[in-house]
Amino acid sequence: MVMKSSVVCLVALALLGSLCDAQWGHQDPHKPSNRYQKPATPPVRQEPSKQMPQQPQQSKQNFETPLTWTYPEDPKPEVQPEVPFELRHPVAAATVAVECRERDAHVEVKKDMFGIGQFINPADLTLGTCGAMAEDNAAQVLIFESELHDCGSSLATTEESLIYTFVLNYNPQPIGGAPVVRTSKAAVIVECHYPRKHNVSSLPLDPMWIPFSAVKVAEEFLYFTLKLMTVDYQFERPSYQYFLGDMINVEATVKQYFHVPLRVYVDSCVATLVPDMNSNPRYAFIDNHGCFIDAKITGSASKFMARTAENKLQFQLEAFRFQGADSGLLYITCHLKATSSAYAIDSEHRACSAEGGWKEASGAHAACGSCDSGSYEPAGNSNTGTSSWGSGASTGMSAPGRKIRDVSTTEVFEWEGDVTLGPIPIEEKTVS
C-alpha cells in the first residue's frame, strides 16, 4: 500500500516539473531576464504543410432490391399500314342517245344520267326549251322529240353538211326543302348532221334536158366568192392591209356542188370608197365582159393570171388610192358569171389582159378581139343576182341568179351574181 502511494507521488512530481519547464521556456516580458542565460536560438521557420482533405466517412447505401423505375419515353407515332387505294376519277357516262330523223330529232336519256346509281328528277332536264314528252319506266329512260327548227335549235352550214344543234340542259333543284344537291349542272350538246350533197333522182341524166327540180336544187347550192390571196395563191391572205405599189392578189371562185363542171368569169369590177357599187367616186378596172382595162388606162401591171382550174379565176390589181380621199379604203365589187366548162369561150365569156396585146387566161386569145372596141366607161348598174358583203375585212359571197341563153338552138344555163370585197386599206409608202 505504501509502495503504491510513493509511485503516485513520483509521477505527480515528474508532471509538475515538466509543466514548470514549459512555462519558463517562454520568457515573460514582465519577468526579469536571467543575465546568465544563453541566448535562445531563433526558431526555424517551417513551411506549412498541405494537408489533404479528409474524405468523409460515408458509405454507399445499397438497396436490397434494384430500382426498376425509369423516366417515361416520348410517345412514338403509330405506323400506318399500307392500304391498297386508288382514287377513281369519274368517267363520262354513255347515257344519251340521239336518232336524227328526216324532220325531227329523237333523244333518249337514262334517268341515271351520270352513271352513279342515282336517278335525276325529270323536271330538271330539258332539251333546249322543251321538256320530256314521254318516260319509259321499264327501261328508266326519258324521251325527247323535237322538230329540227324547234326547242331553240341552231343551224350551221359547212361545205358538206347541214348541222342542227340542240343543248340538253340539266339544272338540279333541291329535294325535300334541304339546301343541298347531289349532282351539278350539266349541258350536253346534241347534233344532227345531214349531207348537203345527195342524189335527188335515180333517173339517168340527159345532157340535152335538165329536170326543173334538178335545176332548182342546183340554184340553191351555187355560190360565188372573192378572196384576197397570198402571193403564190396557196392560202387566203390573213391581212387586208396594202401599200401603194403592192399587187392585190384576188381569186374568184364558184362553188358548184351538184353541178356539172363550171367555168367562172369576172365580167366586170368596180372600185369604190364605200360598199355601194353605184357611189362616187368609182373606178371600173374590168369591163366589157372580162377585159382588164386598168393596164390600158393607167399603164399598170394589173392582169389575169393563167387559169389553173375551171371554177377559179385569179387576177392581180396594182394598189391605188382615189385622189383627194383621206380614208385610203377600197371596196371591190365584181360581177361574176358561171357557165358549163363545155361551153366555148367567146366575146361575152372571157378573161383578157392587156400585156402588149390582149391575152386570154385560158389561151383563147381570139375571144379578146373586141376588147379595144369598149369605151372604158364606168360599169353600169347590174340587175341580176344579189349583192352581199361581210362586216369588216371579210370575204364576200353571193348567191347567184340564173338566166337561159339560146345559142344555136342549144339551151345553155348561165349563173351570175355580184360580190363585194372590202374594206381594203391602202397606205402610202414612206420615203426616208
Side-chain angles (χ1 to χ4, degrees):
M1 186 67 179
V2 175
M3 193 171 184
K4 290 182 180 178
S5 302
S6 59
V7 173
V8 173
C9 291
L10 288 174
V11 173
L13 288 174
L15 293 175
L16 183 60
S18 299
L19 180 60
C20 291
D21 291 338
Q23 291 178 352
W24 286 105
H26 298 281
Q27 186 175 0
D28 189 356
H30 301 287
K31 184 178 180 180
S33 61
N34 188 357
R35 174 178 307 184
Y36 299 101
Q37 186 178 4
K38 294 180 180 179
T41 59
V44 180
R45 183 178 179 182
Q46 296 181 358
E47 295 293 333
S49 60
K50 295 182 180 181
Q51 295 181 356
M52 299 298 293
Q54 296 181 357
Q55 297 293 332
Q57 298 297 323
Q58 295 181 354
S59 60
K60 184 177 181 180
Q61 185 178 5
N62 296 324
F63 295 92
E64 295 180 358
T65 303
L67 294 177
T68 59
W69 180 87
T70 58
Y71 284 99
E73 296 180 357
D74 293 336
K76 296 181 179 179
E78 296 182 1
V79 179
Q80 296 294 334
E82 294 185 1
V83 179
F85 175 77
E86 181 180 358
L87 181 61
R88 299 180 61 184
H89 295 277
V91 296
T95 56
V96 180
V98 183
E99 180 184 359
C100 297
R101 300 173 179 173
E102 183 177 355
R103 297 182 56 185
D104 56 17
H106 179 88
V107 182
E108 295 184 359
V109 184
K110 293 182 180 179
K111 288 186 177 181
D112 185 10
M113 182 177 175
F114 295 93
I116 57 176
Q118 182 177 358
F119 289 173
I120 63 173
N121 184 4
D124 296 339
L125 186 65
T126 59
L127 181 65
T129 58
C130 303
M133 64 166 297
E135 183 176 346
D136 188 348
N137 293 322
Q140 300 297 335
V141 169
L142 300 176
I143 301 174
F144 298 83
E145 283 189 2
S146 170
E147 293 189 1
L148 298 178
H149 293 282
D150 288 345
C151 298
S153 66
S154 61
L155 171 62
T157 304
T158 66
E159 292 189 2
E160 302 294 335
S161 303
L162 298 174
I163 304 174
Y164 292 88
T165 303
F166 299 85
V167 180
L168 192 65
N169 294 306
Y170 174 64
N171 186 17
Q173 301 298 321
I175 300 176
V180 296
V181 292
R182 299 296 182 186
T183 54
S184 58
K185 293 183 179 181
V188 180
I189 304 300
V190 178
E191 292 185 350
C192 283
H193 293 239
Y194 296 88
R196 295 182 63 176
K197 299 180 180 181
H198 58 279
N199 185 12
V200 297
S201 175
S202 61
L203 298 176
L205 296 178
D206 187 351
M208 299 301 294
W209 177 79
I210 302 177
F212 175 77
S213 60
V215 174
K216 198 65 181 173
V217 172
E219 285 183 8
E220 296 176 357
F221 297 98
L222 178 64
Y223 294 96
F224 292 117
T225 62
L226 281 180
K227 296 180 181 179
L228 293 181
M229 305 296 290
T230 55
V231 176
D232 56 0
Y233 288 94
Q234 296 298 315
F235 305 97
E236 186 173 358
R237 195 173 192 267
S239 172
Y240 273 42
Q241 179 69 62
Y242 290 92
F243 294 91
L244 289 177
D246 292 345
M247 299 303 294
I248 302 175
N249 302 303
V250 184
E251 181 179 81
T253 60
V254 57
K255 296 182 180 295
Q256 49 195 36
Y257 298 103
F258 304 117
H259 294 274
V260 295
L262 298 177
R263 183 185 297 123
V264 66
Y265 301 93
V266 180
D267 193 68
S268 62
C269 282
V270 177
T272 54
L273 290 174
V274 295
D276 184 7
M277 63 180 294
N278 298 314
S279 62
N280 288 310
R282 60 196 299 265
Y283 172 58
F285 55 90
I286 298 178
D287 202 0
N288 196 16
H289 303 299
C291 297
F292 212 140
I293 61 178
D294 181 59
K296 277 283 187 179
I297 297 175
T298 65
S300 68
S302 302
K303 62 180 179 179
F304 284 108
M305 309 299 291
R307 192 184 289 272
T308 58
E310 296 295 345
N311 68 323
K312 295 181 181 180
L313 183 58
Q314 301 159 349
F315 62 88
Q316 290 182 330
L317 174 65
E318 189 171 342
F320 62 89
R321 291 167 61 107
F322 283 102
Q323 185 177 7
D326 296 330
S327 66
L329 298 180
L330 288 182
Y331 287 85
I332 297 175
T333 302
C334 294
H335 184 72
L336 306 183
K337 290 181 178 179
T339 62
S340 170
S341 59
Y343 182 68
I345 297 174
D346 58 16
S347 59
E348 294 187 4
H349 304 85
R350 58 191 176 183
C352 300
S353 304
E355 302 178 85
W358 291 103
K359 306 293 183 182
E360 212 281 326
S362 299
H365 306 311
C368 302
S370 60
C371 279
D372 284 327
S373 63
S375 60
Y376 304 148
E377 292 293 333
N381 297 340
S382 175
N383 296 323
T384 58
T386 58
S387 299
S388 66
W389 48 80
S391 59
S394 61
T395 301
M397 177 178 287
S398 173
R402 179 179 61 89
K403 68 179 181 178
I404 301 175
R405 302 173 67 251
D406 183 22
V407 180
S408 301
T409 67
T410 301
E411 193 176 36
V412 178
F413 290 93
E414 178 181 293
W415 292 264
E416 53 188 343
D418 294 331
V419 186
T420 299
L421 182 64
I424 305 174
I426 308 296
E427 298 290 339
E428 295 182 357
K429 288 187 176 180
T430 57
V431 179
S432 57

